Amino acid sequence: MTAPGSELTLGILGGGQLAQMLALAAIPLGVRVTVLEPDPQAPARLCARHLCAPYTDPAGLDELAACDAVTLEFENIPVEALAALEGRVPVRPAGSLLARSKHRAREKQALREAGAVTAPFEVIEDEGDLHGALDRVGGRGILKTSELGYDGKGQARVNTDAGLRAAWDALGRVPCVLEGFVAFEREVSLGVARSPDGQVAFGPLVENVHRDGILRTSVFPAQVPHGTPAAARDMARAVADAWGLEGLMTLEFFVLPGGQLLVNEVAPRVHNSGHLTQDGGGISQFEAQVRAVLGLPLTDWAPLLPCAMVNVVGVDGPDGQPLTPDWAAIDALSGTRVHLYHKAHRHGRKVGHVNLVAPDADTLHERLASLEPLVP
Ligand code: AMP
């Protein structure tokens, strides 16, 4: 039978939970997945062919080069790996886009060039750059390392020049971006996919709440003024077109009190805030990425029903023992669906999520209020 992706193969750099969920979305399309991932316990090993080798392993990269296309589930892919694939197989998104999105200073400059709005920022590369930088971003800011920061790591809040100097010292005097502190009302995110022929599709505008720098809950629809979702889509389309996106990326935004959007950062892939698309009806963000990367027909993937997600993150209790979610009570709640990544417990590590769906927004918020206390 000729199904949409029959006999196509997709290679993925990385084998974590995002690769696991990409593979789970690929299988019903007829697509087979191979992941290159050094961790023998990688979550994706359960549902994809697992090449257990370093990302730069020549034999592993040869196997990926034999796929129809290659995508990724994290942005810090070694440049050697991308260079080894160059010209042999389409890598989507391309290395040039990754180089932007994994470097905060370059990312912000490229966002502005694409016409997107960001918080004021200053690039800090040497001591001289500190002079007057805090004043120029409004007197209060967040210093972030340009590379390798995630889940709030590699960041410091600063509100004095002395504090800025101390924070830069504490971050190891590495290249940083100093962003003006944004008094945002909410945080939202939006996925955008673009196929190799330039067709663009969007995910839902999702509202996100963080706890200790890690995403705690996502809710769709986001509670924002009427015009905000369309404004987010316009900005995402402008960036996707300007950056020549092939594949999927997710924009994180701050929403100001009037509804105006500032782009905080871009992930060149599916995103934790999009997991709720697995259970809200319609295609998921994972299917959208698979489709966009392989050039299969693409549609918007906003869920058909109000839905939410609560992350399950490893938490050690006061006695040092892991706190576990009340799984029986979670299963007994109407509209829940559990997704586990088959990862060992570690404090602060994402090990799964619970999706929640409801026929209307009021019911969703009632159910979410019941679900939240069940997840430590
Ligand atoms: P990031 O690693 O850039 O996603 O930042 C982690 C979290 O820190 C964000 O989700 C916000 O809650 C907060 N944050 C980051 N940048 C700013 C900013 N410029 N102003 C206020 N809060 C921020």
Side-chain angles (χ1 to χ4, degrees):
M1 194 186 78
T2 23
S6 283
E7 291 159 33
L8 289 178
T9 53
L10 177 64
I12 304 180
L13 285 154
Q17 67 263 23
L18 299 181
Q20 182 192 71
M21 293 184 275
L22 285 165
L24 287 172
I27 292 166
L29 293 174
V31 174
R32 284 166 193 267
V33 172
T34 298
V35 302
L36 179 59
E37 164 62 56
D39 178 1
Q41 295 304 314
R45 78 191 184 284
L46 299 166
C47 50
R49 189 163 153 252
H50 179 197
L51 308 171
C52 188
Y55 303 119
T56 50
D57 179 63
L61 290 165
D62 283 349
E63 299 250 16
L64 289 194
C67 293
D68 291 290
V70 171
T71 191
L72 51 112
E73 60 131 32
F74 73 110
E75 38 277 50
N76 294 309
I77 309 284
V79 278
E80 306 91 287
L82 295 170
L85 295 172
E86 177 101 44
R88 299 169 72 195
V89 58
V91 178
R92 296 176 175 143
S96 52
L97 194 148
L98 298 185
R100 275 185 206 127
S101 66
K102 73 176 189 182
H103 189 281
R104 284 189 197 270
R106 269 186 239 139
E107 177 179 271
K108 287 190 189 295
Q109 275 147 355
L111 281 167
R112 289 208 170 162
E113 281 159 23
V117 189
T118 71
F121 69 93
E122 290 282 312
V123 177
I124 308 291
E125 280 173 347
D126 57 46
E127 185 113 33
D129 294 330
L130 295 170
H131 291 298
L134 193 58
D135 274 348
R136 289 192 293 276
V137 300
R140 236 175 121 200
I142 301 198
L143 186 68
K144 304 180 179 180
T145 58
S146 266
E147 292 189 88
L148 297 176
Y150 68 98
D151 285 347
K153 296 185 176 65
Q155 314 197 346
R157 293 185 178 204
V158 291
N159 48 25
T160 62
D161 284 331
L164 172 59
R165 274 167 198 284
W168 194 54
D169 284 344
L171 291 175
R173 299 168 80 91
V174 294
C176 284
V177 169
L178 175 66
E179 285 178 29
F181 187 85
V182 180
F184 57 80
E185 199 171 70
R186 304 168 190 282
E187 292 186 85
V188 297
S189 53
L190 178 84
V192 55
R194 192 166 171 278
S195 54
D197 66 4
Q199 191 199 339
V200 173
F202 300 102
L205 190 72
V206 170
E207 185 165 339
N208 302 313
V209 175
H210 295 83
R211 190 171 77 183
D212 302 330
I214 300 177
L215 183 65
R216 166 69 176 174
T217 54
S218 293
V219 176
F220 167 77
Q223 289 180 32
V224 289
H226 185 65
T228 303
R233 288 193 291 270
D234 288 348
M235 234 189 265
R237 182 191 290 275
V239 177
D241 283 341
W243 292 11
L245 171 68
E246 292 181 353
L248 186 148
M249 64 186 192
T250 307
L251 283 77
E252 296 177 28
F253 300 91
F254 300 129
V255 187
L256 301 181
Q260 197 208 331
L261 293 164
L262 303 180
V263 183
N264 175 28
E265 61 181 357
V266 179
R269 50 170 170 76
V270 287
H271 191 261
N272 194 167
S273 62
H275 293 0
L276 47 66
T277 59
Q278 291 171 311
D279 294 305
I283 72 167
S284 69
Q285 63 166 352
F286 303 99
E287 181 168 342
Q289 180 162 334
V290 171
R291 284 176 173 273
V293 166
L294 288 170
L296 298 173
L298 195 59
T299 56
D300 288 346
W301 65 97
L304 303 174
L305 288 171
C307 50
M309 181 222 60
V310 178
N311 257 343
V312 181
V313 177
V315 184
D316 289 339
D319 59 358
Q321 291 301 308
L323 298 178
T324 36
D326 186 342
W327 294 118
I330 291 170
D331 282 338
L333 265 182
S334 199
T336 55
R337 219 167 143 237
V338 173
H339 297 259
L340 296 177
Y341 310 151
H342 298 244
K343 283 161 92 170
H345 167 87
R346 196 199 301 147
H347 185 77
R349 185 186 222 190
K350 294 173 183 172
V351 292
H353 64 273
V354 181
N355 280 341
L356 181 64
V357 64
D360 56 74
D362 286 346
T363 311
L364 182 78
H365 286 280
E366 278 164 27
R367 290 181 183 173
L368 189 54
S370 306
L371 172 60
E372 286 239 42
L374 304 175
V375 184

